[in-house]
DNA sequence: AATACGCACAACCGCGAGATC
DNA sequence: TGATCTCGCGGTTGTGCGTAT
């Protein structure tokens, strides 16, 4: 390569740091519509002031629909330890053995938990039990304390009541963002070639699988009391479409919203909690 | 109540490899 | 064939939050 590395982007012209709600929405909407054939050009096409690498990382580590969030199970931790012993810090290889987990996430877990545990095993000659207990304790605690524990698009674990509540809360959050419609329109660029991007059926199985979608008595979303849970979800979408001006039946945009809804639970929980204005019934 | 500290995790950075021109 | 581009990887940093003092 010889002449030195050209910077991947002009760092004075790109935004850095935490991703905003609006940026996530743009990225998800764009990728849903057009895919991600070229990360370098994607930010410009999607109207994002971000480096392509940053977009890629955000998508892979956080926004991708099949990314599994929440604490690692004991099995997963054991797998990481074993694989690390055999192949070393090949995080992407290890990640490939753990569906839904990203290399970045595994790397973080390794550095924050597993490495310490292993070194304490070595130094203190601790038995296996300690580590197992540690994992179990963390799992137990996480189920109580972590708001997004056990959350997964990948098709399995969906947390219970709180998800339903949070969907309501997230809707409030969305309602507070009038630019949502504009954002969706911005990424709907007719000049771009449409790339087929199938709707992941698991998204809809997730929606249909919201078997604990219940509102508490003092719910922030009183309109959500319905005869059946499916109806609740259906009406939630209808309401969302109405609020966002998406009257037409655009399943891809629905998918984007669902993805964003879930993904932003964690990061914008603080904002969601801050919202205490009751919804108006549609 | 205020401050310091440690932890967890998202995001950034630089590099290597493969693809393309 | 070599220069350039793009992607993906692994290491590191920055920041927010919870806990201890």
């Amino acid at each position: 390569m010889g002449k030195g590395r050209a910077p991947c982007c002009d760092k004075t012209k790109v935004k850095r740091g935490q991703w905003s709600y609006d940026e996530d929405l743009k990225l998800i909407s764009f990728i849903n519509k057009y895919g991600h054939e070229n990360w370098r050009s994607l930010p410009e096409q999607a109207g994002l002031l971000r480096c392509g690498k940053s977009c890629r990382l955000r998508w892979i580590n956080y926004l991708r629909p099949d990314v599994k969030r929440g604490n690692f199970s004991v099995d997963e931790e054991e797998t990481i330890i074993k694989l690390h012993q055999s192949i070393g810090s090949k995080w992407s290889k290890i990640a490939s053995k753990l569906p839904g987990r990203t290399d970045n996430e595994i790397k973080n877990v390794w550095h924050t938990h597993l490495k310490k545990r292993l070194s304490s095993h070595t130094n203190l000659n601790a038995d296996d039990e300690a580590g197992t207990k540690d994992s179990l304790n963390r799992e137990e605690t996480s189920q109580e304390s972590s708001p997004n524990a056990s959350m997964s698009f990948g098709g399995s674990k969906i947390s219970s009541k709180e998800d339903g509540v949070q969907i309501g809360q997230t809707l409030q959050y969305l309602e507070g963002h009038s630019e949502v419609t504009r954002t969706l329109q911005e990424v709907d660029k007719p000049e771009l070639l449409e790339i087929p991007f199938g709707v992941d059926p698991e998204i809809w199985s997730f929606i249909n699988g919201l078997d604990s979608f219940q509102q508490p008595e003092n719910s922030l979303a009183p309109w959500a009391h319905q005869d059946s849970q499916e109806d609740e979800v259906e009406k939630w979408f209808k309401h969302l479409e109405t609020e966002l001006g998406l009257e037409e039946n655009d399943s891809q945009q629905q998918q984007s919203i669902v993805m964003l809804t879930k993904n932003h639970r964690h990061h914008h929980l603080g904002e969601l909690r801050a919202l205490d204005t009751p919804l108006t019934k549609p």
Side-chain angles (χ1 to χ4, degrees):
Chain A
M1 305 203 184
K3 289 187 175 177
R5 172 170 297 268
C8 67
C9 54
D10 186 350
K11 291 181 172 48
T12 63
K13 291 178 182 173
V14 295
K15 192 181 162 198
R16 297 167 68 186
Q18 289 282 317
W19 279 66
S20 69
Y21 175 92
D22 193 46
E23 289 174 312
D24 280 349
L25 187 63
K26 279 183 179 177
L27 183 59
I28 290 170
S29 300
F30 185 87
I31 291 175
N32 274 356
K33 281 178 178 288
Y34 308 110
H36 49 77
E37 280 198 339
N38 188 329
W39 286 112
R40 197 180 169 86
S41 61
L42 186 147
E44 190 184 353
Q45 291 176 324
L48 286 162
L49 290 173
R50 289 277 180 177
C51 169
K53 284 175 83 166
S54 180
C55 293
R56 179 185 158 270
L57 209 65
R58 182 67 179 169
W59 174 256
I60 288 174
N61 288 331
Y62 203 82
L63 300 176
R64 215 168 31 133
D66 57 342
V67 70
K68 192 197 281 186
R69 309 205 67 78
N71 288 76
F72 280 62
S73 68
V74 178
D75 282 348
E76 285 175 317
E77 290 182 345
E78 283 176 358
T79 304
I80 294 168
I81 291 168
K82 281 176 190 167
L83 288 171
H84 189 271
Q85 281 170 348
S86 60
I87 63 175
S89 306
K90 304 292 180 189
W91 305 120
S92 60
K93 295 270 192 303
I94 296 173
S96 68
K97 305 291 179 192
L98 295 170
R101 299 298 190 181
T102 68
D103 54 352
N104 205 34
E105 198 178 10
I106 291 169
K107 187 167 56 184
N108 283 333
V109 168
W110 173 261
H111 286 305
T112 53
H113 300 297
L114 304 181
K115 193 168 70 176
K116 286 177 197 166
R117 190 193 303 167
L118 279 185
S119 68
S120 73
H121 278 215
T122 309
N123 295 338
L124 305 173
N125 200 19
D127 56 25
D128 291 340
E129 215 180 330
T132 313
K133 275 181 182 171
D134 180 32
S135 299
L136 289 171
N137 286 339
R138 286 205 305 116
E139 272 217 323
E140 284 169 14
T141 324
S142 74
Q143 301 235 342
E144 289 170 354
S145 61
S146 176
N148 62 337
S150 304
M151 186 171 76
S152 167
F153 276 122
S156 48
K157 297 184 288 181
I158 300 295
S159 67
S160 55
K161 197 151 97 181
E162 201 167 7
D163 279 74
V165 176
Q166 288 183 350
I167 283 173
Q169 289 174 323
T170 307
L171 177 56
Q172 276 192 291
Y173 178 73
L174 283 168
E175 285 182 320
H177 285 69
S178 58
E179 52 287 49
V180 164
T181 308
R182 181 178 50 79
T183 304
L184 290 171
Q185 285 167 348
E186 276 178 14
V187 298
D188 190 14
K189 299 186 185 306
E191 69 271 21
L192 292 169
L193 189 66
E194 182 98 23
I195 298 167
F197 193 88
V199 177
D200 186 351
E202 296 209 14
I203 297 294
W204 298 108
S205 63
F206 148 67
I207 295 164
N208 293 330
L210 284 173
D211 51 4
S212 302
F213 186 58
Q214 297 167 357
Q215 294 294 326
E217 285 182 8
N218 58 346
S219 166
L220 291 170
W223 49 267
H225 288 287
Q226 304 295 338
D227 292 333
S228 74
Q229 289 143 3
E230 283 184 10
D231 284 348
E232 286 178 23
V233 176
E234 184 96 5
K235 291 193 177 182
W236 181 75
F237 271 127
K238 290 283 181 204
H239 175 65
L240 199 54
E241 285 171 14
T242 309
E243 291 294 323
L244 301 181
L246 305 173
E247 304 286 349
E248 59 187 343
N249 187 16
D250 187 338
S251 61
Q252 287 186 341
Q253 286 191 346
Q254 285 181 348
Q255 181 186 354
S256 302
I257 292 160
V258 171
M259 288 162 69
L260 196 63
T261 298
K262 289 190 72 66
N263 286 326
H264 272 270
R265 272 185 211 156
H266 179 62
H267 263 294
H268 297 278
L269 204 61
E271 295 173 74
L272 294 173
R273 285 187 181 130
L275 292 164
D276 55 358
T277 314
L279 287 173
T280 52
K281 191 165 183 169

